[in-house]
């Protein structure tokens, strides 16, 4: 990764939501944990926003504390999911001594008498036993005949004119070009840990190790509800109407994280439609865009109160993205644990909400380990908010972060060109200050999902 300086420790594992709520402090626990048989979302007026690091950690821990969701699936259905248990070899690999090359299996020192006219082929178990001074043709992957001591590649050997005597054109060493049984692993060896992404290469390894199906954590299911009567889905802005930027962006963004997006629906500013959508959704996470403030058509808070949601984060001390929220929804018909992340309506503010609340929560639900962040020095001065964290788009230039312009809450021009977002503390940063970096899921240096990282 260009610009990577040193890692910041990932969040430690937690036993549940209670520990995560403790991050908010006694006053915030009271504000964010209403009392009653089914807590209801409090009014937004007068509450204190959650600090950005605490909000992000809370979302991650809530995701990890959700009941484990695992299932066994055939290999071809497992790609993109993560392992719910270690991948342990069910057999030795290879399970018998095999030839690593096309050529000749030989026994003892040469020259060697050619044994018969046939060849030892892969997938056959009829290899002849070789005596000292004998040789037989062999194919790559074929079982090594008993008493064979080496394999000579075809291009490194020649036979006499009558084809009965084999000579090596290079020195032959004991065991050359033979893959011995168990060279890659022994039965019972752990090949990959729990939480590893099932990539096509992992499918191949699992098949070679004897698996027909894998125990995985299914991809989290997300439904996106786009709010706002002012949004157009095509054409140029006109007559006070603007193009919807979040509907086209949020779904692909989440798919880049390995999420199953079940639907993206435009609801306008219809409180009843929003209520129906929230109460009937069978997604693990509902994401709304817009409507999280306290304006006359901002219906998210009233709907959350009406459905009996528990508001866990109601505003975050971050710019842009301050009016984001996280709520625990009542159980659905087929989904015992459901959550809602409310993104602000401004595009870059919504990106802030995705990185702060949605991504950490989804990573926990997917069973992937939290990534260790990293710090890098910033090249230019960055103005900060007096009290809140700022997230600023940047590009890597050598070892440094270069902040981009067009970083207002309603702007996407900066993030479209960015490698990630830099976390600017209250008060800002001076040239040379090291800032925490949030990579984007499609940037070239994004860490692998195996052993942590973005889940795809």
């Amino acid at each position: 990764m260009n610009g990577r300086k040193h890692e910041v420790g990932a969040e430690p594992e937690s036993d549940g939501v209670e520990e995560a709520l403790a991050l908010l402090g006694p006053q915030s626990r009271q504000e964010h944990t209403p009392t009653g048989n089914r807590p209801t979302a409090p009014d937004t007026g007068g509450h204190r926003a959650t600090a950005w690091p605490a909000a992000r950690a809370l979302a991650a821990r809530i995701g990890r504390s959700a009941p484990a969701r695992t299932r066994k699936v055939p290999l071809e259905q497992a790609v993109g999911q993560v392992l719910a248990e270690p991948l342990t070899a069910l057999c030795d690999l290879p399970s018998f001594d095999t030839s690593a090359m096309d050529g000749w299996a030989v026994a003892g020192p040469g020259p060697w008498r050619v044994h018969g006219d046939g060849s030892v082929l892969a997938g056959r178990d009829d290899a002849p036993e070789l005596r000292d001074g004998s040789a037989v043709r062999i194919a790559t992957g074929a079982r090594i005949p008993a008493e064979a001591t080496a394999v000579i590649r075809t291009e490194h050997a020649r036979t006499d004119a009558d084809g009965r005597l084999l000579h090596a054109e290079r020195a032959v060493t004991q065991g050359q070009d033979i893959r011995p049984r168990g060279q890659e692993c022994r039965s019972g060896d752990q090949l990959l840990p729990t939480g590893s992404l099932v990539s096509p290469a992992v499918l191949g390894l699992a098949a070679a190790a004897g698996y027909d199906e894998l125990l995985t954590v299914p991809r989290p299911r997300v439904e996106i509800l786009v709010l706002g009567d002012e949004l157009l889905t095509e054409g140029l802005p006109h007559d006070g109407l603007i193009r919807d930027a979040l509907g086209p962006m949020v779904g692909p963004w989440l798919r880049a994280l390995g999420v199953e997006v079940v639907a993206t629906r435009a609801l306008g500013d219809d409180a009843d439609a929003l209520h129906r959508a929230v109460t009937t959704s069978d997604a693990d996470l509902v994401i709304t865009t817009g409507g999280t403030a306290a304006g006359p058509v901002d219906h998210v808070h009233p709907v959350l109160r009406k459905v009996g949601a528990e508001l866990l984060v109601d505003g975050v001390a971050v710019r842009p993205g301050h009016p984001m929220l996280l709520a625990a929804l009542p159980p659905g018909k087929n989904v015992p644990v459901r959550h809602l992340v409310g993104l602000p309506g401004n595009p870059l503010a919504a990106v802030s909400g995705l990185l702060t609340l949605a991504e950490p929560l989804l990573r926990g639900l997917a069973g992937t380990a939290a990534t260790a962040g990293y710090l890098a020095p910033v090249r230019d001065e960055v103005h900060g908010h007096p009290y809140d964290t700022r997230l600023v788009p940047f590009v890597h230039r050598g070892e440094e972060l270069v902040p981009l312009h067009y970083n207002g809450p309603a702007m996407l021009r900066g993030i479209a060109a960015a490698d990630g977002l830099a976390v600017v503390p209250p008060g800002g940063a001076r040239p040379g200050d090291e800032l925490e970096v949030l990579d984007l899921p499609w940037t070239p240096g994004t860490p692998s999902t195996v052993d942590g990282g973005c889940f795809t």
Side-chain angles (χ1 to χ4, degrees):
M1 167 70 69
N2 292 333
R4 183 183 294 265
K5 294 297 290 184
H6 61 269
E7 292 186 345
V8 179
E11 273 299 310
E13 293 297 325
S14 168
D15 289 332
V17 178
E18 284 303 311
E19 181 182 347
L21 287 172
L23 290 169
L24 303 180
Q27 180 178 350
S28 292
R29 281 178 61 89
Q30 184 177 2
E31 292 166 351
H32 290 272
T33 312
T35 59
N37 292 334
R38 181 67 204 179
T40 57
D43 291 332
T44 59
H47 74 274
R48 186 177 64 187
T50 303
W52 181 79
R56 200 159 187 258
L58 176 63
R61 295 185 184 193
I62 288 173
R64 290 198 299 267
S65 69
R69 305 172 309 128
T70 62
R71 63 182 180 184
K72 281 203 169 184
V73 295
L75 291 184
E76 64 271 15
Q77 296 178 19
V79 69
Q81 300 177 28
V82 300
L83 297 176
E85 62 183 4
L87 185 70
T88 302
L90 303 180
C91 61
D92 297 343
L93 284 183
S95 54
F96 46 80
D97 294 348
T98 62
S99 176
M101 294 288 169
D102 291 334
W104 298 87
V106 299
W112 301 268
R113 296 181 304 278
V114 176
H115 180 94
D117 297 323
S119 298
V120 180
L121 302 177
R124 302 284 294 272
D125 195 28
D126 55 357
E129 181 176 347
L130 291 184
R131 297 183 179 182
D132 272 358
S134 298
V136 66
R137 281 195 174 275
I138 194 166
T140 301
R143 188 167 191 156
I144 294 294
E147 305 304 327
T149 55
V151 169
I152 305 174
R153 303 182 187 192
T154 299
E155 61 270 27
H156 296 163
R158 60 178 176 81
T159 58
D160 287 345
D162 61 3
R164 306 313 300 169
L165 195 62
L166 178 75
H167 300 269
E169 297 187 331
R170 296 188 180 185
V172 177
T173 59
Q174 181 86 10
Q176 75 176 31
D177 285 327
I178 293 177
R179 291 190 63 210
R181 176 174 180 167
Q183 181 187 52
E184 187 168 1
C185 66
R186 289 290 185 181
S187 179
D189 286 352
Q190 179 176 306
L191 305 177
L192 291 170
T194 299
S196 298
L197 174 73
V198 181
S199 65
V202 171
L203 291 185
L205 176 62
Y211 286 84
D212 298 317
E213 55 186 12
L214 293 172
L215 185 69
T216 64
V217 179
R219 298 181 186 185
R221 290 165 49 84
V222 180
E223 185 169 8
I224 302 165
L225 307 177
V226 180
L227 311 181
D229 286 342
E230 75 279 14
L231 301 178
L232 295 168
T233 58
E234 60 183 13
L236 294 174
H238 62 86
D239 302 325
L241 302 177
I242 61 173
R243 280 296 297 270
D244 170 30
L246 296 183
M249 180 181 74
V250 175
W253 188 300
L254 296 175
R255 290 190 185 97
L257 298 174
V259 167
E260 180 184 352
V261 178
V262 298
T264 297
R265 294 198 281 154
L267 301 185
D269 288 317
D270 187 330
D272 291 336
L274 177 59
H275 180 269
R276 286 193 300 273
V278 170
T279 53
T280 60
S281 176
D282 62 355
D284 301 298
L285 177 64
V286 176
I287 290 183
T288 60
T289 68
T292 57
V297 291
D298 290 332
H299 300 306
V300 174
H301 282 92
V303 166
L304 290 177
R305 288 194 293 271
K306 185 175 180 180
V307 304
E310 180 182 359
L311 202 55
L312 302 171
V313 173
D314 188 12
V316 177
V318 66
R319 307 291 170 148
H322 180 271
M324 67 181 74
L325 61 85
L326 169 62
L329 298 174
K333 182 177 179 181
N334 300 313
V335 189
V337 176
R338 301 190 304 145
H339 289 86
L340 181 144
V341 167
L343 303 178
N346 278 325
L348 189 57
V351 168
S352 176
L354 286 171
L355 292 171
T356 302
L357 298 177
E359 180 180 343
L361 176 64
L362 290 168
R363 189 184 304 283
L365 291 177
T368 56
T371 53
Y374 64 96
L375 303 176
V378 64
R379 190 188 72 179
D380 308 323
E381 181 178 1
V382 186
H383 295 294
H385 188 274
Y387 312 109
D388 295 349
T389 299
R390 279 193 71 203
L391 301 182
V392 177
F394 74 88
V395 291
H396 290 292
R397 289 293 181 264
E399 295 295 314
E400 295 181 312
L401 309 177
V402 179
L404 296 175
H405 300 296
Y406 307 105
N407 54 29
M411 298 180 178
L412 285 175
R413 185 171 173 180
I415 192 67
D419 292 327
L421 284 93
V423 181
V424 181
R430 293 177 296 180
D433 286 352
E434 290 196 326
L435 301 180
E436 182 179 353
V437 171
L438 302 178
D439 282 316
L440 302 176
W442 51 84
T443 51
T446 298
S448 164
T449 53
V450 178
D451 284 323
C454 169
F455 50 103
T456 63

